[in-house]
Amino acid sequence: MRTTQFFLSTLKEAPSDAEIVSHRLMLRAGLIKRLAGGIYTWMPAGLRILRKVENIVREEMNRAGAIELLMPAVVPAELWQETGRWEKYGPELLRFKDRHQRDFVIGPTHEEVITDVVRKDVKSYRQLPIHLYQVQSKFRDEIRPRFGVMRGREFLMKDGYSFHTSFDDLQREYRNMHDTYSRIFTRLGLKFRAVAADTGSIGGTGSHEFHVLADSGEDAIAFSPDSDYAANVELAEALAPDTPRGAAGEAMQKVATPDRVRCEDVADFLKQPLTKTVKAIAVMHDDDFVLLLLRGDHNLNEIKVGKLPGLDPFRFATDAEVERFLGCKPGYIGPVGVDAAKVRVIADRTVAAMDNFVCGANTEGFHLTGVNWGRNLPEPSLVADIRNVVAGDPSPDGKGALELCRGIEVGHIFQLRTKYSAAMGCTFLDETGKEQVMEMGCYGIGVSRIVGAAIEQGHDARGIVFPAAIAPFEACIVPMGYAKSEAVKAAADKLYGELRAAGIDVVLDDRNERPGVMFADMELIGVPHRIVVGERGLAEGKLEYKGRTETEAQMIAAGDMLAFLKEKLCA
């Protein structure tokens, strides 16, 4: 590829509404152009990157035994109505009517469509297992699309679905996909972690997310450096303290705490450690009022709470509801003296092990100190893990202490089991001729999101630092005075031909631009290897090489450059 025959459109500054590094750099590098909120045109350089990611995904999926197909983006509403997701999916599902007033959706995911395909054509256990996948554009009508391709409305996704005669066989394929995804992200040159995760709106039982590690990641990941344990914070278990609850050593007292509603402020005012405070969070399930108790320095995990018996779904109580059930404004509420017939109290495991703690007095402007279970209030109606883990918590697998990092979710695998197959009548005849419901798995990769995640992980002050496997070009040739020096032009053309013949994806920057402009553009778009052809070097029979992340250039004999670059690309 020659730049004069390519569409390279870079910017010195990113638009002011670009919020994160990948968004800014993708716009500056001319990889994408905004068409509407959350909708982007992939420009030629960006499309080259996208296709490289897609090809690696496709190669590994085929290697794993999956079969590619392509499903329609437009889906009849009746399929979504069969599974109940027409009502449950929410406003992210883009619904519309055709000219005959029939309801359709733009598919954000394709569980219903693939299940319909399989239930029509697969009838016998002899036809199973089967794994079908596609690489296709999806649409989810995000309420606030942001961060460029990281949280766009239209995006490119690989979604695969497997069908099985038994749960054991589903688990086999699940492990196969876990290994396949690990190979994919390794080949892409990304630092990543596979973490146990919640199944979310897709449903099912087992679930793992694959995260590209980056400080800007939206998701918090808990992991043990002493083992393979890793989980999304929304799922990571916070174990109960291993020390028993202490004795009631203080008398309970009602203490004035004017204008102190936050645990941090109360602890500071009372000169108590924050870890001795308990905060009460009021929630509602239908007409049931529930108090959730957390230690003052811990944060509520809404995913865990939603899985508790009698709390699916729940919402936070209004100020009026708090006053109706507790007779007090929020900020001073607590579990002491509440009517057990009207208020259910659920304590986090850590709170259940606390003694002599501080909590709201259910009187505006007051808190209680020296509160103890059994003496000042009955044991909670339920003790459960309802908080986010924090760094230093013991790892749930018993190996070491947890650490936290940030990640960007780029892949997710699920054991759907029979959620969709049972709802849609996707069955087969077993060896005895008996009808059975198929077990299902679901496996997604955000192909376009990977590009943004790779930039979040790899960038510097000069631009993008792509892994060689997905860079728009593996190498660039930058000639000094291509239009002015016959020697430079001949040498650059010769090297360009040699590298292309060797199968290296190379771009020759033959624009009539200043060297600084060409250097800046090649660094901005993330080309990992740069070769400079200049008259001074040619006089000595040498070319200049510089890696994208290297601080110093080095001179290489012109005749050795091909072998040198091959070695670099294989490293």
Side-chain angles (χ1 to χ4, degrees), residues 119-425:
R119 70 178 173 179
K120 290 176 178 175
D121 288 339
V122 177
K123 302 298 182 183
S124 168
Y125 72 94
R126 294 186 181 90
Q127 296 170 275
L128 297 172
I130 188 170
H131 186 152
L132 302 168
Y133 80 95
Q134 65 175 349
V135 180
Q136 186 212 47
S137 289
K138 308 287 188 186
F139 191 92
R140 295 178 186 172
D141 199 5
E142 296 275 356
I143 188 171
R144 183 173 173 262
R146 59 195 189 280
F147 306 153
V149 301
M150 300 290 288
R151 184 65 70 181
R153 292 195 291 169
E154 184 178 348
F155 54 94
L156 188 66
M157 180 180 179
K158 188 285 297 180
D159 51 319
Y161 309 89
S162 63
F163 296 80
H164 307 269
T165 59
S166 67
F167 181 47
D168 285 346
D169 195 56
L170 167 58
Q171 289 179 306
R172 173 201 56 75
E173 184 63 8
Y174 189 83
R175 292 189 295 270
N176 180 31
M177 282 298 103
H178 191 287
D179 294 343
T180 298
Y181 276 36
S182 296
R183 287 196 303 271
I184 287 170
F185 295 116
T186 298
R187 281 189 61 186
L188 290 171
L190 301 171
K191 297 176 183 176
F192 70 96
R193 270 191 177 272
V195 303
D198 183 70
T199 55
S201 63
I202 299 296
T205 53
S207 168
H208 279 82
E209 294 172 348
F210 288 76
H211 286 261
V212 170
L213 303 182
D215 292 339
S216 59
E218 289 184 289
D219 293 292
I221 299 168
F223 69 96
S224 172
D226 299 320
S227 71
D228 292 332
Y229 177 82
N232 196 302
V233 164
E234 68 186 10
L235 189 70
E237 182 183 9
L239 300 179
D242 56 8
T243 54
R245 183 195 297 167
E250 302 175 17
M252 186 175 76
Q253 297 185 52
K254 188 174 182 179
V255 181
T257 53
D259 301 321
R260 270 76 173 184
V261 297
R262 297 170 63 247
C263 284
E264 293 84 352
D265 298 331
V266 173
D268 183 64
F269 181 75
L270 298 177
K271 295 183 169 47
Q272 293 267 19
L274 184 58
T275 55
K276 294 294 287 184
T277 65
V278 169
K279 56 187 171 188
I281 300 171
V283 300
M284 300 292 297
H285 171 67
D286 295 331
D287 294 326
D288 296 333
F289 185 86
V290 182
L291 273 188
L292 306 174
L293 304 183
L294 289 174
R295 200 171 75 183
D297 60 329
H298 288 159
N299 292 320
L300 184 71
N301 186 310
E302 296 181 33
I303 298 294
K304 293 178 180 179
V305 172
K307 293 180 178 180
L308 295 179
L311 279 177
D312 181 19
F314 77 93
R315 62 174 175 81
F316 293 101
T318 65
D319 289 1
E321 288 168 331
V322 171
E323 292 193 53
R324 176 158 59 94
F325 283 95
L326 298 178
C328 177
K329 293 182 178 179
Y332 301 96
I333 63 175
V336 178
V338 301
D339 185 347
K342 297 180 179 179
V343 179
R344 184 180 174 201
V345 176
I346 299 176
D348 181 67
R349 291 169 173 173
T350 304
V351 173
M354 292 174 66
D355 56 78
N356 305 302
F357 56 84
V358 177
C359 66
N362 289 321
T363 303
E364 186 175 356
F366 288 87
H367 279 77
L368 300 174
T369 64
V371 179
N372 283 273
W373 295 106
R375 186 190 70 180
N376 307 117
L377 73 168
E379 296 292 335
S381 57
L382 178 65
V383 175
D385 171 23
I386 59 172
R387 70 174 175 91
N388 288 335
V389 295
V390 295
D393 280 342
S395 177
D397 65 357
K399 299 177 181 178
L402 293 178
E403 295 183 10
L404 302 182
C405 65
R406 306 298 299 180
I408 300 167
E409 182 192 342
V410 290
H412 206 158
I413 60 177
F414 304 85
Q415 295 175 14
L416 293 177
R417 300 296 308 270
T418 60
K419 175 177 178 177
Y420 297 92
S421 52
M424 298 183 68

